[in-house]
């Protein structure tokens, strides 16, 4: 009998151990890749790539990430459905603020709170002026020398990537400057990734595609973006033209070169009938095709390799330029100044209170005395108080309205010759009563307004759900009469204006811009042609309207080398506190311009721009399941192409048309729009374009 009991106890112990092992094996596992090989651009969006594996029962939950610096509890999530014995990949993008904490936590939860898996991840910040290379290839470490190909006075980093980890959203690509594809099968790009790549290129990205023995495989997935049509591979004994391109000795040896025929763009390096390097511009971006495998010797160890790539990159990378509502204080002020919703003035409140006091006191007393019914005061006083309370409530209800209001202020920036615009939209949600709202936007990403030195707190807590192209700020709370503010960023299709402008030099050093301009399908109010820091008024431009014989003859040079034009653009936008009320359109424009241009207009590249106002926000931010009133204001900024003077003509370029970038400062240096100050012993290098 005792032996039987021991046998049963042993069997129970074995069953318990087995069930424990099975339970442990059923726990889902998580793999996380942050940014681009651990690199994220500061104050921008950072992609998070997560692989979840489940060997247990089906899991329904959410993947949850709290961005660094979001101390108020902001969280970004995406729904998760993991069947038994499944493995799925998810990509989220989260915003990074001025907080420089380089760690964040990734959670997998079920039932809203039960934690199934978690991982603490770290990453490295890339400064706005530094360059980040993404390299995808069989031996991507062979291109580590690119860390020496950095902007003057700045740094560079090389991220070793895999196609699977590239984000499907264009916002996730903004931290990357250059993408190099070399000896890799690009047919594994998804449709969303290719669309994101094309958008990134149009807005200033730089793609470099390598050739060599596997050149056809590398080009297969990005054929439509290349400047060439790929041909067979052949071997050559000399690449003398490659050395001549940078003034270096040619490379000895045998080379596998992918033959190519120019399809669109321009050849940069050719040798006899062999095309070695070709370039194509797509919008503001650049695609370079290199006919050899840059990861193989002798290229990988060529002592002049850095010089070659510096030549390619420096002429192909568009300077990082992005207008946005970076002034959080003015952005909130603009979003909360909602037309049609104004509190009563101080004088109205005083008049209301005085009327109440007079009626309850002297008038009530005199009437009751005349009627000889003073004992009714116990009834008339409460009735008067109740009546004025109802009147105050009705008045406030009429002021607030019945529907919530979405005040949408948008900035759309279109680089030269692109059909995609970059959108920053600040939204103010006004609630007439205490309620919770689900704010939804398609093809846009929601983030909080960055804190400022004037207001470093934000009562708004965002719980953002990312489901494909649809983003939802879930259960956004607002009290009676409160305005909650946040930012939505994304992209919109654009038909840019068609400009045919020529820069000319007339008699006595008069600089003129001549030509014509045809507006796109978007009507523009109060349109101006911005030249450097100066403007030429064009009035209202209707959709498709053409302006011929544009002659900016007022662009005259003074003896000191400045431009004699109309009032400087900075002075006309009302950078000081604007007068008027929220119902005044000019007041609204000035507030929004303050948020956009107060600190960073001077950093806009000196060029020619068409700037005007629209009245329909490009990103449709709405309330899920609720009607809402909307109020829109849009500023469009289009960069325009300008034809330079004919060859051989002398031209004096004024400071207003020169891009000046400070580099390698030492000591105290203070820069302004037109000058700089150096302390004793300080030095500065300036780069002009």
């Amino acid at each position: 009998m005792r032996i039987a009991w021991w046998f049963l106890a042993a069997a129970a112990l074995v069953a318990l151990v087995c069930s424990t092992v099975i339970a442990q094996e059923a726990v889902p596992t998580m793999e996380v890749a942050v940014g681009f090989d651990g690199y994220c651009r500061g104050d921008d969006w950072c992609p998070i790539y997560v692989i979840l594996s489940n060997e247990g029962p089906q899991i329904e939950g959410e993947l949850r990430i709290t961005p660094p610096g979001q101390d108020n509890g902001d969280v970004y999530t995406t729904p998760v459905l993991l069947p038994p014995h499944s493995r799925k990949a998810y990509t989220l993008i989260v915003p990074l603020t001025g907080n420089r904490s380089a760690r964040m936590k990734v959670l997998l939860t079920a039932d809203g709170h039960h934690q199934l898996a978690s991982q603490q991840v770290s990453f490295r910040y890339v400064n706005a002026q530094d360059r980040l290379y993404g390299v995808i290839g069989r031996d991507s470490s062979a291109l580590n020398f690119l860390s020496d190909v950095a902007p003057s006075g700045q740094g560079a980093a090389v991220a070793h990537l895999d196609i699977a980890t590239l984000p499907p959203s264009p916002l996730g690509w903004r931290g990357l400057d250059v993408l190099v594809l070399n000896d890799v099968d690009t047919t594994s790009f998804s449709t969303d990734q290719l669309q994101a790549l094309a958008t990134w290129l149009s807005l200033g990205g730089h793609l470099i595609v390598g050739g060599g023995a596997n050149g056809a495989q590398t080009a297969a997935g990005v054929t439509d973006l290349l400047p060439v049509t790929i041909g067979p591979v052949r071997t050559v004994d000399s690449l003398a033209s490659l050395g001549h391109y940078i003034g270096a000795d040619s490379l000895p040896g045998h080379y596998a070169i992918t033959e190519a025929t120019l399809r669109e763009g321009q050849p940069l390096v050719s040798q006899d009938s062999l095309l070695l390097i070709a370039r194509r511009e797509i919008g503001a971006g650049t695609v370079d095709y290199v006919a050899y495998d840059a990861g193989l010797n002798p290229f990988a160890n060529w002592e002049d390799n850095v010089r070659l790539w510096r030549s390619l990159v420096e002429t192909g990378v568009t300077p990082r330029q992005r207008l946005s509502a970076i002034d959080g204080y003015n952005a909130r002020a603009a979003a909360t100044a909602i037309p049609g919703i104004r509190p009563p003035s101080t004088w109205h409140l005083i008049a209301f209170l005085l009327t109440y006091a007079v009626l309850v006191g002297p008038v009530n007393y005199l009437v009751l005395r005349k009627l000889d019914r003073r004992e009714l005061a116990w009834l008339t006083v409460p009735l008067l108080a109740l009546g004025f309370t109802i009147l105050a409530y009705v008045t406030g209800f009429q002021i607030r309205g019945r529907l919530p209001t979405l005040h949408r202020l948008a900035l759309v920036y279109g680089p030269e010759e692109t059909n995609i615009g970059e959108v920053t939209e600040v939204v103010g949600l006004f609630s007439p009563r205490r309620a919770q709202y689900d704010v939804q936007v398609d093809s846009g990403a929601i983030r909080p307004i960055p804190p400022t030195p004037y207001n470093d707190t934000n009562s708004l807590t965002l719980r953002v759900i990312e489901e494909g192209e649809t983003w939802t700020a879930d259960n956004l709370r607002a009290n009676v009469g409160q305005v909650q503010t946040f930012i939505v960023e994304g992209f919109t299709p654009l038909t840019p204006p068609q400009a045919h402008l020529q820069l000319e030099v007339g008699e006595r050093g008069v600089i003129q811009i001549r030509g014509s301009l045809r507006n796109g399908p978007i009507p523009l109010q109060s349109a101006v042609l911005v030249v450097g820091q100066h403007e030429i008024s064009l009035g209202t431009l209707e959709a498709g309207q053409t302006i011929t014989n544009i002659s900016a003859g007022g662009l005259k040079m003074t003896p000191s080398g400045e431009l004699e034009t109309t009032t400087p653009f900075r002075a006309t936008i009302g950078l000081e506190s604007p007068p008027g009320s929220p119902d005044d359109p000019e007041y609204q424009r000035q507030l929004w311009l303050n948020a956009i241009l107060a600190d960073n207009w001077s950093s806009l590249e000196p060029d020619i721009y068409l700037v005007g106002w629209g009245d329909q926000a490009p990103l449709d931010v709405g309330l899920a399941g609720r009607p809402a009133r909307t109020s829109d204001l849009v500023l469009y900024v289009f960069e325009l192409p300008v034809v330079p003077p004919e060859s051989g003509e002398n031209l004096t370029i004024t400071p207003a048309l020169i891009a000046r970038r400070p580099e390698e400062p030492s000591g105290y240096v203070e820069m302004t729009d037109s000058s700089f100050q150096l302390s004793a012993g300080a030095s500065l290098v300036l780069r002009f374009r």
Side-chain angles (χ1 to χ4, degrees):
M1 189 70 178
R2 182 175 298 178
I3 295 176
W5 280 109
W6 278 108
F7 178 79
L8 290 174
L13 180 61
V14 170
L16 178 62
V17 171
C18 291
S19 63
T20 302
V21 171
I22 292 174
Q24 289 176 347
E25 290 178 350
V27 174
T29 60
M30 175 188 298
E31 303 172 38
V32 182
V34 181
F36 298 98
D37 194 19
Y39 291 100
C40 290
R41 183 79 61 179
D43 298 322
D44 213 325
W45 294 91
C46 181
I48 313 294
Y49 181 77
V50 182
I51 297 178
L52 298 175
S53 300
N54 178 36
E55 295 299 329
Q58 177 170 294
I59 295 174
E60 292 187 44
E62 67 177 15
L63 198 59
R64 181 183 301 174
I65 300 174
T66 300
Q70 304 298 323
D71 298 330
N72 60 338
D74 291 347
V75 63
Y76 286 74
T77 74
T78 191
V80 168
L81 176 60
L82 293 174
H85 308 290
S86 63
R87 180 179 173 89
K88 286 188 177 182
Y90 297 86
T91 300
L92 290 86
I93 58 172
V94 299
L96 303 181
T97 65
N99 185 293
R100 287 296 174 174
S101 171
R103 297 183 67 84
M104 66 180 79
K105 194 171 186 179
V106 182
L107 298 174
L108 174 62
T109 63
D111 301 325
H113 62 277
H114 182 52
Q115 182 175 313
L116 301 179
S118 68
Q119 187 170 334
Q120 189 86 13
V121 293
S122 59
F123 59 95
R124 292 160 286 184
Y125 279 96
V126 178
N127 295 324
Q129 296 79 15
D130 292 340
R131 184 173 295 149
L132 179 60
Y133 296 93
V135 179
I136 304 179
R138 194 180 307 276
D139 184 14
S140 56
S141 62
L143 299 178
N144 283 343
F145 65 84
L146 289 174
S147 61
D148 295 327
V149 186
S152 180
Q154 305 298 332
V158 179
H160 304 292
L161 307 178
D162 184 85
I163 290 178
T165 64
L166 294 176
S169 166
L171 279 174
W173 287 68
R174 292 208 313 198
L176 194 64
D177 295 301
V178 182
L179 176 64
V180 182
L181 303 176
N182 189 72
D183 192 13
V184 60
D185 183 3
T186 57
T187 57
S188 58
F189 271 105
S190 69
T191 302
D192 289 339
Q193 286 176 324
L194 286 175
Q195 182 60 48
L197 170 61
T199 301
W200 172 75
L201 278 173
S202 294
L203 295 171
H206 189 180
L207 173 65
I208 301 177
V209 180
N214 295 320
Q217 176 181 265
T218 304
V222 292
T223 300
D224 294 340
L225 302 175
L226 295 179
V228 298
T229 300
I230 300 299
V233 178
R234 81 178 194 185
T235 302
V236 297
D237 296 328
S238 172
L239 291 180
S241 297
L242 198 61
H244 295 160
Y245 178 65
I246 58 172
D249 295 333
S250 60
L251 293 171
H254 299 282
Y255 310 96
I257 302 297
T258 303
E259 294 184 4
T261 304
L262 188 66
R263 179 168 56 91
E264 182 177 352
Q266 59 179 326
L268 295 185
V269 182
S270 297
Q271 183 170 301
D272 300 327
S273 61
L274 189 63
L275 188 61
L276 297 182
I277 302 178
R279 169 166 293 177
R280 175 189 179 188
E281 294 182 356
I282 299 179
T286 305
V287 180
D288 286 335
Y289 174 74
V290 179
Y292 55 87
D293 187 340
L296 296 179
N297 286 325
F299 299 107
N301 294 318
W302 187 24
E303 60 182 9
D304 293 308
N305 213 5
V306 170
R307 293 174 57 190
L308 173 63
W309 282 79
R310 187 182 301 279
S311 176
L312 283 179
V313 173
E314 295 297 341
T315 58
V317 170
T318 302
R320 181 173 298 277
Q321 177 171 299
R322 184 172 300 123
L323 286 176
S324 62
I326 62 172
D327 189 329
Y329 179 82
N330 283 311
R332 287 191 181 93
T336 55
I338 302 177
I341 300 177
R342 287 185 296 168
S345 68
T346 303
W347 291 111
H348 287 164
L349 292 176
I350 292 175
F352 183 85
L353 293 175
L354 283 176
T355 302
Y356 172 71
V358 170
L359 287 177
V360 170
V363 173
N364 182 49
Y365 173 76
L366 292 174
V367 171
L368 293 179
R369 189 179 70 172
K370 184 157 184 79
L371 297 175
D372 196 22
R373 299 295 300 272
R374 296 182 183 88
E375 69 276 8
L376 294 179
W378 65 271
L379 178 62
T380 57
V381 170
L383 287 176
L384 286 171
L386 178 62
F388 270 84
T389 300
I390 294 174
L391 179 61
Y393 177 81
V394 171
T395 302
F397 189 80
Q398 291 296 326
I399 291 174
R400 296 194 304 268
R402 297 182 178 182
L403 293 178
T405 299
L406 288 166
H407 188 36
R408 305 181 297 195
L409 303 162
L411 166 69
V412 181
Y413 173 62
E416 181 180 333
E417 298 181 345
T418 59
N419 56 4
I420 296 175
E422 199 164 11
V423 183
T424 299
E425 199 165 300
V426 171
V427 181
L429 169 60
F430 172 80
S431 177
R433 57 183 58 84
R434 182 176 299 169
Q436 293 184 344
Y437 302 95
D438 292 341
V439 179
Q440 195 171 80
V441 58
D442 291 327
S443 302
I446 303 172
R447 67 182 300 172
I449 295 178
T452 68
Y454 311 103
N455 182 10
D456 57 1
T457 60
N458 187 1
S459 60
L460 177 64
T461 299
L462 288 175
R463 182 180 181 273
V464 180
I465 303 173
E466 303 180 27
E467 293 184 271
E469 294 187 351
T470 301
W471 286 49
T472 304
D474 186 43
N475 291 330
L476 195 153
R477 298 184 179 184
N479 290 320
V480 177
Q482 185 180 16
V483 180
Q484 296 284 28
T485 58
F486 51 90
I487 292 178
V488 176
E489 293 183 302
F491 307 91
T492 185
L494 280 183
T495 301
Q498 298 177 8
H500 304 279
L501 301 175
Q502 174 99 29
L503 195 64
E504 298 178 351
V505 180
E507 297 179 358
R508 299 181 181 179
V510 176
I511 299 177
Q512 294 181 325
I513 295 177
R514 295 185 182 274
S516 62
L517 173 69
R518 187 177 191 275
N519 189 27
I522 302 173
L524 298 177
Q525 303 172 15
S526 302
V528 294
L529 197 65
V530 178
V531 183
Q533 291 291 323
H534 304 266
E535 68 176 26
I536 302 164
S537 177
L538 301 177
T540 298
L541 295 181
E542 300 298 336
Q545 180 179 346
T546 300
I547 299 180
T548 58
N549 299 322
I550 291 179
S551 179
L555 302 181
K556 296 182 180 180
M557 290 185 60
T558 66
S560 62
E562 296 294 331
L563 290 179
E564 289 182 352
T565 66
T566 56
T567 307
F569 188 70
R570 258 182 175 282
T572 65
I573 64 174
L575 291 180
E576 299 179 357
S577 299
S581 69
D583 294 330
D584 180 6
E586 191 63 26
Y587 177 89
Q588 289 286 323
R589 292 177 183 180
Q590 290 178 341
L591 276 179
W592 185 221
L593 283 166
N594 283 339
I596 301 169
L597 308 180
D599 294 328
N600 71 331
W601 181 258
S602 59
S603 66
L604 186 67
E605 294 291 335
D607 218 320
I608 313 297
Y609 300 90
L610 175 63
V611 181
W613 296 93
D615 56 7
Q616 186 172 356
L619 298 181
D620 188 16
V621 182
L623 302 181
R626 287 177 182 251
R629 188 174 72 92
T630 58
S631 172
D632 294 350
L633 180 65
V634 187
L635 178 66
Y636 287 93
V637 180
F638 295 99
E639 185 178 355
L640 302 179
V642 177
V643 179
E646 295 181 0
S647 176
E649 187 173 350
N650 291 326
L651 174 65
T652 301
I653 304 295
T654 68
L657 297 176
I658 297 177
R660 180 193 65 179
R661 291 179 176 273
E663 298 179 355
E664 303 179 22
S666 65
Y668 176 76
V669 177
E670 181 178 349
M671 303 289 298
T672 63
D673 287 344
S674 58
S675 63
F676 56 90
Q677 295 182 5
L678 304 180
S679 63
S683 64
L684 178 67
V685 174
L686 295 176
R687 183 184 184 90
F688 297 94
R689 184 178 69 83

